Amino acid sequence: MTIAILGQGNMGKGLAGRLTTETVLLGAREPKAGELSYADAAAKADIVVLALPFDAAVEVARTLDLSGKIVVDMTNPVTPDFSGLRIGHTTSAAEEIQKTAPSAKVVKAFNTIFAGLFAAPADRTATVPVFVAGNDEAAVAAVADLVTKAGFAVETTGGLDAARLIEPVGMLNIRLAYGLGRGGNIAPAWLKVAA
Ligand SMILES: NC(=O)c1ccc[n+]([C@@H]2O[C@H](COP(=O)([O-])OP(=O)(O)OC[C@H]3O[C@@H](n4cnc5c(N)ncnc54)[C@H](OP(=O)(O)O)[C@@H]3O)[C@@H](O)[C@H]2O)c1
Protein backbone atom coordinates (compact mmCIF):
# COMPACT_ATOMS: atom_id res chain seq x y z
CA MET A 1 0.00 0.00 0.00
CA THR A 2 1.14 3.55 -0.69
CA ILE A 3 1.27 5.76 2.38
CA ALA A 4 1.00 9.55 2.32
CA ILE A 5 2.20 11.42 5.38
CA LEU A 6 0.74 14.92 5.48
CA GLY A 7 2.82 17.16 7.70
CA GLN A 8 6.58 17.11 7.99
CA GLY A 9 6.92 18.00 11.65
CA ASN A 10 8.13 15.82 14.49
CA MET A 11 5.57 13.05 14.05
CA GLY A 12 5.48 13.02 10.25
CA LYS A 13 9.24 12.87 9.88
CA GLY A 14 9.56 10.42 12.74
CA LEU A 15 7.06 7.96 11.30
CA ALA A 16 8.53 8.28 7.81
CA GLY A 17 11.93 7.38 9.26
CA ARG A 18 10.50 4.08 10.51
CA LEU A 19 8.82 3.14 7.20
CA THR A 20 11.92 2.85 5.03
CA THR A 21 10.72 -0.41 3.41
CA GLU A 22 7.38 1.11 2.36
CA THR A 23 6.30 3.45 -0.42
CA VAL A 24 5.88 6.71 1.47
CA LEU A 25 4.87 10.02 -0.10
CA LEU A 26 5.62 13.09 1.98
CA GLY A 27 3.09 15.89 1.71
CA ALA A 28 4.15 19.42 2.62
CA ARG A 29 1.95 22.42 3.49
CA GLU A 30 4.00 24.70 1.23
CA PRO A 31 5.76 22.33 -1.18
CA LYS A 32 9.04 23.48 -2.69
CA ALA A 33 10.18 22.34 -6.13
CA GLY A 34 10.08 18.54 -6.30
CA GLU A 35 7.91 18.19 -3.19
CA LEU A 36 4.28 17.08 -3.06
CA SER A 37 1.38 19.09 -1.72
CA TYR A 38 -0.98 17.49 0.79
CA ALA A 39 -3.56 17.04 -1.98
CA ASP A 40 -1.12 15.45 -4.44
CA ALA A 41 0.32 13.05 -1.85
CA ALA A 42 -3.14 12.04 -0.60
CA ALA A 43 -4.48 11.49 -4.12
CA LYS A 44 -1.77 8.90 -4.84
CA ALA A 45 -2.07 7.02 -1.53
CA ASP A 46 -4.14 4.22 -0.02
CA ILE A 47 -3.34 5.30 3.53
CA VAL A 48 -3.22 9.01 4.45
CA VAL A 49 -1.57 9.87 7.76
CA LEU A 50 -2.60 13.24 9.21
CA ALA A 51 0.57 14.26 11.08
CA LEU A 52 -0.97 17.64 11.80
CA PRO A 53 -2.39 19.64 14.71
CA PHE A 54 -6.06 18.80 15.32
CA ASP A 55 -7.50 21.95 13.73
CA ALA A 56 -5.32 21.50 10.66
CA ALA A 57 -6.30 17.83 10.44
CA VAL A 58 -9.99 18.79 10.42
CA GLU A 59 -9.36 21.45 7.79
CA VAL A 60 -7.41 19.04 5.58
CA ALA A 61 -10.13 16.40 5.99
CA ARG A 62 -12.69 19.03 4.96
CA THR A 63 -10.86 20.27 1.89
CA LEU A 64 -9.15 17.16 0.44
CA ASP A 65 -10.93 14.32 -1.34
CA LEU A 66 -10.31 11.43 1.05
CA SER A 67 -13.16 9.25 -0.25
CA GLY A 68 -12.38 5.58 0.30
CA LYS A 69 -8.95 6.34 1.79
CA ILE A 70 -7.74 4.94 5.07
CA VAL A 71 -7.02 8.04 7.17
CA VAL A 72 -4.79 7.75 10.22
CA ASP A 73 -5.51 10.30 12.94
CA MET A 74 -2.66 10.65 15.43
CA THR A 75 -3.78 13.94 16.96
CA ASN A 76 -4.17 14.85 20.61
CA PRO A 77 -6.67 17.75 20.63
CA VAL A 78 -4.83 19.64 23.35
CA THR A 79 -5.49 23.12 24.69
CA PRO A 80 -2.91 25.75 23.65
CA ASP A 81 -1.16 25.44 27.03
CA PHE A 82 -1.12 21.62 26.86
CA SER A 83 -2.93 21.42 30.21
CA GLY A 84 -5.86 19.37 28.94
CA LEU A 85 -7.99 18.20 26.04
CA ARG A 86 -10.35 20.54 24.19
CA ILE A 87 -12.90 17.84 23.40
CA GLY A 88 -13.86 14.48 24.84
CA HIS A 89 -16.33 12.24 26.66
CA THR A 90 -19.04 12.38 23.99
CA THR A 91 -16.77 12.75 20.96
CA SER A 92 -13.08 12.68 20.05
CA ALA A 93 -10.68 14.19 17.54
CA ALA A 94 -10.90 11.02 15.46
CA GLU A 95 -14.70 11.11 15.35
CA GLU A 96 -14.72 14.81 14.47
CA ILE A 97 -12.33 14.11 11.57
CA GLN A 98 -14.57 11.19 10.51
CA LYS A 99 -17.62 13.50 10.54
CA THR A 100 -15.73 15.97 8.36
CA ALA A 101 -14.73 13.29 5.85
CA PRO A 102 -17.59 10.77 6.07
CA SER A 103 -16.47 8.64 3.11
CA ALA A 104 -12.96 8.16 4.53
CA LYS A 105 -12.09 5.25 6.82
CA VAL A 106 -10.63 6.98 9.84
CA VAL A 107 -8.41 4.99 12.18
CA LYS A 108 -6.92 6.33 15.41
CA ALA A 109 -3.27 5.38 15.99
CA PHE A 110 0.07 6.68 17.35
CA ASN A 111 -1.35 9.44 19.60
CA THR A 112 0.35 7.94 22.69
CA ILE A 113 3.73 7.65 20.94
CA PHE A 114 6.04 10.59 21.52
CA ALA A 115 7.86 11.64 18.36
CA GLY A 116 11.25 10.96 19.93
CA LEU A 117 10.43 7.26 20.16
CA PHE A 118 10.62 6.92 16.38
CA ALA A 119 14.34 7.65 16.64
CA ALA A 120 14.92 4.88 19.20
CA PRO A 121 16.39 1.55 18.06
CA ALA A 122 13.51 -0.57 16.71
CA ASP A 123 14.11 -3.32 19.28
CA ARG A 124 13.36 -0.81 22.07
CA THR A 125 9.87 -0.10 20.70
CA ALA A 126 8.85 -3.56 19.45
CA THR A 127 6.72 -4.19 22.55
CA VAL A 128 5.47 -0.60 22.91
CA PRO A 129 1.73 -0.61 22.11
CA VAL A 130 0.09 1.67 19.59
CA PHE A 131 -3.61 1.86 20.47
CA VAL A 132 -5.64 1.42 17.30
CA ALA A 133 -9.37 2.16 16.91
CA GLY A 134 -11.62 2.23 13.86
CA ASN A 135 -14.97 1.19 12.47
CA ASP A 136 -13.78 -0.45 9.24
CA GLU A 137 -12.25 -3.87 9.87
CA ALA A 138 -10.04 -3.87 6.77
CA ALA A 139 -8.81 -0.34 7.50
CA VAL A 140 -7.93 -1.29 11.07
CA ALA A 141 -6.05 -4.35 9.77
CA ALA A 142 -4.12 -2.18 7.29
CA VAL A 143 -3.17 0.31 10.00
CA ALA A 144 -2.20 -2.54 12.34
CA ASP A 145 0.16 -3.75 9.61
CA LEU A 146 1.55 -0.20 9.30
CA VAL A 147 2.11 -0.07 13.06
CA THR A 148 4.01 -3.37 12.93
CA LYS A 149 6.13 -2.19 9.99
CA ALA A 150 6.87 1.00 11.95
CA GLY A 151 8.30 -1.19 14.70
CA PHE A 152 5.62 -1.07 17.39
CA ALA A 153 3.10 -3.51 18.90
CA VAL A 154 -0.61 -3.30 18.09
CA GLU A 155 -3.25 -2.89 20.81
CA THR A 156 -6.67 -2.92 19.13
CA THR A 157 -9.38 -1.14 21.10
CA GLY A 158 -12.57 -1.52 19.05
CA GLY A 159 -14.58 1.04 17.12
CA LEU A 160 -13.62 4.65 16.50
CA ASP A 161 -15.49 5.73 19.63
CA ALA A 162 -12.58 4.18 21.57
CA ALA A 163 -10.68 7.33 20.57
CA ARG A 164 -12.65 9.04 23.38
CA LEU A 165 -10.66 6.83 25.73
CA ILE A 166 -7.33 6.74 23.90
CA GLU A 167 -7.01 10.51 23.60
CA PRO A 168 -7.15 11.03 27.40
CA VAL A 169 -4.42 8.37 27.68
CA GLY A 170 -2.37 10.54 25.32
CA MET A 171 -3.08 13.54 27.55
CA LEU A 172 -2.01 11.63 30.67
CA ASN A 173 1.17 10.67 28.84
CA ILE A 174 1.86 14.36 28.13
CA ARG A 175 1.22 15.26 31.77
CA LEU A 176 3.55 12.57 33.06
CA ALA A 177 6.27 13.38 30.55
CA TYR A 178 6.27 17.17 30.59
CA GLY A 179 4.11 18.24 33.56
CA LEU A 180 5.59 15.81 36.05
CA GLY A 181 9.10 15.50 34.66
CA ARG A 182 9.23 11.89 33.51
CA GLY A 183 10.53 12.95 30.09
CA GLY A 184 9.48 12.16 26.54
CA ASN A 185 10.91 8.63 26.41
CA ILE A 186 7.90 7.02 28.12
CA ALA A 187 4.84 5.30 26.66
CA PRO A 188 1.68 3.84 28.18
CA ALA A 189 1.09 0.08 28.02
CA TRP A 190 -1.41 -2.39 29.45
CA LEU A 191 0.14 -5.08 31.60
CA LYS A 192 -1.13 -8.58 31.99
CA VAL A 193 -0.75 -9.30 35.69
CA ALA A 194 -0.19 -12.87 36.76
CA ALA A 195 -2.80 -14.18 39.19
N1 LIG B 1 5.05 15.45 19.02
C1 LIG B 1 4.64 14.38 19.67
O1 LIG B 1 5.41 13.77 20.46
C2 LIG B 1 3.26 13.86 19.46
C3 LIG B 1 2.90 12.62 20.05
C4 LIG B 1 1.64 12.09 19.80
C5 LIG B 1 0.75 12.77 18.99
N2 LIG B 1 1.12 13.97 18.46
C6 LIG B 1 0.15 14.65 17.59
O2 LIG B 1 0.67 14.58 16.28
C7 LIG B 1 0.29 15.75 15.54
C8 LIG B 1 1.54 16.38 14.93
O3 LIG B 1 2.42 16.73 15.98
P1 LIG B 1 3.91 17.20 15.67
O4 LIG B 1 4.61 17.17 16.97
O5 LIG B 1 4.47 16.45 14.52
O6 LIG B 1 3.68 18.71 15.25
P2 LIG B 1 4.71 19.69 14.50
O7 LIG B 1 6.10 19.20 14.67
O8 LIG B 1 4.37 21.04 14.98
O9 LIG B 1 4.31 19.53 12.96
C9 LIG B 1 3.03 19.90 12.54
C10 LIG B 1 2.93 19.79 11.03
O10 LIG B 1 1.62 20.26 10.69
C11 LIG B 1 1.73 21.29 9.72
N3 LIG B 1 0.71 22.32 10.00
C12 LIG B 1 0.60 23.08 11.12
N4 LIG B 1 -0.48 23.89 11.03
C13 LIG B 1 -1.04 23.65 9.81
C14 LIG B 1 -2.17 24.17 9.13
N5 LIG B 1 -2.95 25.10 9.67
N6 LIG B 1 -2.45 23.66 7.91
C15 LIG B 1 -1.70 22.73 7.35
N7 LIG B 1 -0.60 22.19 7.94
C16 LIG B 1 -0.28 22.64 9.16
C17 LIG B 1 3.11 21.88 9.89
O11 LIG B 1 3.49 22.46 8.67
P3 LIG B 1 4.65 23.57 8.59
O12 LIG B 1 5.92 22.78 8.80
O13 LIG B 1 4.49 24.12 7.24
O14 LIG B 1 4.36 24.55 9.71
C18 LIG B 1 3.93 20.65 10.27
O15 LIG B 1 4.35 19.96 9.12
C19 LIG B 1 -0.44 16.66 16.53
O16 LIG B 1 -1.81 16.54 16.36
C20 LIG B 1 -0.04 16.12 17.90
O17 LIG B 1 -1.06 16.29 18.87
C21 LIG B 1 2.34 14.52 18.67
Side-chain angles (χ1 to χ4, degrees):
M1 285 198 178
T2 300
I3 302 145
I5 300 181
L6 311 189
Q8 300 308 308
N10 296 312
M11 292 296 280
K13 281 188 177 150
L15 178 60
R18 280 291 186 98
L19 294 173
T20 48
T21 60
E22 305 307 299
T23 304
V24 177
L25 304 174
L26 305 178
R29 171 160 45 170
E30 291 171 1
K32 302 186 187 77
E35 293 180 343
L36 292 171
S37 67
Y38 291 164
D40 288 341
K44 294 181 170 73
D46 309 292
I47 300 179
V48 178
V49 179
L50 304 178
L52 305 167
F54 171 58
D55 286 337
V58 170
E59 183 60 12
V60 162
R62 191 181 66 77
T63 52
L64 263 53
D65 180 8
L66 298 174
S67 309
K69 309 271 184 196
I70 298 167
V71 172
V72 178
D73 163 39
M74 53 169 55
T75 67
N76 286 309
V78 289
T79 56
D81 66 358
F82 285 80
S83 64
L85 294 173
R86 289 161 47 197
I87 57 172
H89 294 290
T90 54
T91 188
S92 60
E95 291 165 284
E96 293 306 307
I97 291 166
Q98 180 69 82
K99 277 184 214 163
T100 312
S103 50
K105 299 165 193 166
V106 176
V107 178
K108 190 86 199 177
F110 293 111
N111 73 299
T112 63
I113 302 300
F114 284 129
L117 298 191
F118 292 117
D123 63 338
R124 298 300 299 270
T125 63
T127 58
V128 173
V130 168
F131 300 99
V132 178
N135 294 335
D136 184 286
E137 205 176 313
V140 168
V143 174
D145 187 47
L146 181 74
V147 166
T148 305
K149 285 175 172 150
F152 292 85
V154 176
E155 185 85 74
T156 48
T157 61
L160 197 62
D161 62 334
R164 298 174 194 183
L165 311 174
I166 302 170
E167 290 168 16
V169 175
M171 189 65 240
L172 176 61
N173 200 33
I174 292 168
R175 175 175 287 225
L176 288 171
Y178 299 111
L180 298 173
R182 297 275 291 275
N185 58 353
I186 59 172
W190 252 245
L191 300 177
K192 182 166 187 177
V193 180

